[in-house]
Amino acid sequence: MAFAPMGAKASFFEVLDRHRASLLAALSRGGQEPPVQRTRTASSSEVLASIENIIQDIVTSLARNEAPAFIIDNRSSWENIKFEDTVGLQMVSHCTTRKIKSDSPKSVQKFALILKILSMIYKLVQSNTYATKRDIYYTDSQLFGNQTVVDNIIDDISCMLKVPRRSLHILSTSKGLIAGDLRYTEEDGTRVNCTCGASGKGIPDLNTRLLVKKLWDLFHIPVFTLVDADPHGIEIMCIYKYGSMSMSFEAHNLTVPAVRWLGLLPSDIKRLNIPKDSLIPLTRRDQMKLDSILKRPYVTCQPFWRKEMEMMADSRMKAEIQALTTLSSDYLSRVYLPNKLKFGGWI
């Protein structure tokens, strides 16, 4: 819900400090998180042993004149997902699975691709080298067909081995950006300098989510999302806060339930009298995305979110953050953000 303002004389830093204190108090009241099966950073020897066990099972099946198969958790079914407001979307401990058979015309190609990528991961881990998902794809782009095939298989392998993707020595091809006066060192010694003039964009990639999660876990820095007032902007916020279905098996490593929606809120469009010619009609794809979000389990505990999304659905209009420039060229930085932070205009 919206945070109570502290009065006209309060600086937004004072408001943020109070918000941070309220988040920490909520954590202390909530007690310990319930025990769940969570992915963990695995050592190289553990990853290699897990892959060797899978290969051994394949060899054993062949020795018995049986067709080997991979058993993979079904990451695309809501039946396998549960929601907890302290964690977000996470995979249930006993979920339905898919069998990727080596003797089935429908799955034999995927079986072969999983085996190929497993062998590539084994070499990467064994040699202590790293590759991006894009690198994997371009080793044989004709065989894989497209990047999405590679991405899905890597996530399936991560889920099957019960280890985070970074333990597989496969890096994301980052689309998001972290920009600001921030420098830090990764666990492997890699130094990262975020001082640049660029802005973050698009669906949050794994590395950006890991960094936001680390900032919250280590420092409990209040985290706010500023996104377009459209269904895809809301989706971006949801992924940071509660995670995604496809990565629910790694929810504890990625989600930050303390995230708050700062803007651009659909109610801001009306409140600020943003000109109608700056708004954009919802497309059919937008409407489908909005309907999908409204049906998700976490919306029931976010009545203010629901109200904002229903407002968008009723108006059938959306707005980009740039719509604020119709009020003045510097309205976002001079008025909107300072007032939102100072007076607690988030939900």
Side-chain angles (χ1 to χ4, degrees):
M1 63 184 298
F3 189 76
M6 295 179 64
K9 294 184 179 180
S11 72
F12 61 77
F13 290 110
E14 291 173 315
V15 177
L16 291 182
D17 284 342
R18 186 178 171 190
H19 176 54
R20 178 175 179 271
S22 71
L23 292 173
L24 291 174
L27 280 178
S28 64
R29 289 194 303 270
Q32 297 295 319
E33 294 178 352
V36 294
Q37 183 180 11
R38 65 175 70 188
T39 54
R40 60 184 178 85
T41 302
S43 67
S44 295
S45 59
E46 289 174 319
V47 174
L48 293 176
S50 295
I51 295 175
E52 289 167 0
N53 288 337
I54 289 174
I55 301 303
Q56 183 62 51
D57 289 341
I58 292 175
V59 172
T60 301
S61 295
L62 292 173
R64 295 173 178 171
N65 290 322
E66 298 172 354
F70 293 116
I71 308 298
I72 297 176
D73 292 339
N74 190 348
R75 298 183 294 112
S76 61
S77 172
W78 281 105
E79 294 180 358
N80 291 334
I81 307 297
K82 65 178 180 179
F83 168 71
E84 293 182 11
D85 55 5
T86 59
V87 181
L89 301 176
Q90 53 183 324
M91 187 169 282
V92 298
S93 55
H94 300 289
C95 61
T96 60
T97 59
R98 294 175 293 133
K99 182 174 286 190
I100 311 299
K101 299 179 180 180
S102 60
D103 62 344
S104 169
K106 293 182 179 180
S107 61
V108 63
Q109 182 178 12
K110 185 166 186 178
F111 180 91
L113 294 181
I114 292 174
L115 198 58
K116 179 176 177 63
I117 293 179
L118 270 174
S119 70
M120 298 174 75
I121 290 171
Y122 191 90
K123 291 177 182 177
L124 288 171
V125 176
Q126 190 178 48
S127 61
N128 195 29
T129 55
Y130 291 80
T132 66
K133 295 188 295 182
R134 201 71 175 158
D135 294 333
I136 299 292
Y137 168 67
Y138 277 114
T139 59
D140 199 331
S141 58
Q142 290 188 340
L143 174 65
F144 292 121
N146 60 69
Q147 183 69 57
T148 302
V149 170
V150 173
D151 295 352
N152 287 334
I153 288 177
I154 290 171
D155 287 342
D156 279 338
I157 291 174
S158 178
C159 184
M160 180 170 61
L161 298 180
K162 297 293 186 294
V163 297
R165 189 198 300 162
R166 59 189 179 280
S167 296
L168 304 180
H169 284 224
I170 296 179
L171 308 175
S172 298
T173 306
S174 298
K175 295 181 181 179
L177 293 170
I178 293 288
D181 187 13
L182 175 67
R183 298 172 181 85
Y184 70 98
T185 303
E186 290 284 2
E187 294 175 359
D188 62 1
T190 302
R191 294 183 178 180
V192 181
N193 185 353
C194 300
T195 305
C196 65
S199 300
K201 57 184 178 180
I203 296 296
D205 64 297
L206 187 64
N207 290 340
T208 307
R209 293 175 64 188
L210 286 168
L211 178 56
V212 173
K213 172 69 170 175
K214 180 177 290 188
L215 289 172
W216 167 249
D217 285 345
L218 293 180
F219 306 111
H220 290 95
I221 297 174
V223 182
F224 302 95
T225 56
L226 177 67
V227 294
D228 293 332
D230 68 13
H232 295 279
I234 296 172
E235 177 77 288
I236 290 172
M237 175 192 62
C238 291
I239 291 174
Y240 277 116
K241 186 174 178 72
Y242 291 134
S244 62
M245 177 192 294
S246 62
M247 295 296 291
S248 59
F249 64 92
E250 202 177 340
H252 279 80
N253 297 325
L254 298 173
T255 61
V256 185
V259 165
R260 296 294 181 261
W261 187 4
L262 185 67
L264 184 64
L265 301 177
S267 58
D268 290 335
I269 297 173
K270 182 178 181 180
R271 180 176 61 85
L272 299 174
N273 292 317
I274 295 177
K276 289 186 178 180
D277 58 5
S278 299
L279 306 181
I280 306 170
L282 291 179
T283 65
R284 186 171 179 272
R285 182 184 177 192
D286 290 332
Q287 292 172 343
M288 292 175 62
K289 172 65 71 175
L290 189 59
D291 290 342
S292 170
I293 296 173
L294 282 166
K295 294 176 182 177
R296 293 179 189 173
Y298 46 72
V299 175
T300 58
C301 68
Q302 292 289 350
F304 292 98
W305 284 18
R306 176 175 290 279
K307 184 177 180 181
E308 293 289 338
M309 287 187 278
E310 288 176 346
M311 190 178 300
M312 182 187 296
D314 291 340
S315 69
R316 296 182 177 273
M317 302 296 285
K318 60 182 179 179
E320 298 177 341
I321 297 173
Q322 288 82 352
L324 294 174
T325 60
T326 61
L327 304 178
S328 70
S329 60
D330 60 349
Y331 189 85
L332 175 65
S333 59
R334 181 177 60 86
V335 180
Y336 185 84
L337 290 178
N339 281 310
K340 279 272 186 169
L341 293 172
K342 182 176 182 178
F343 298 107
W346 58 78
I347 58 176

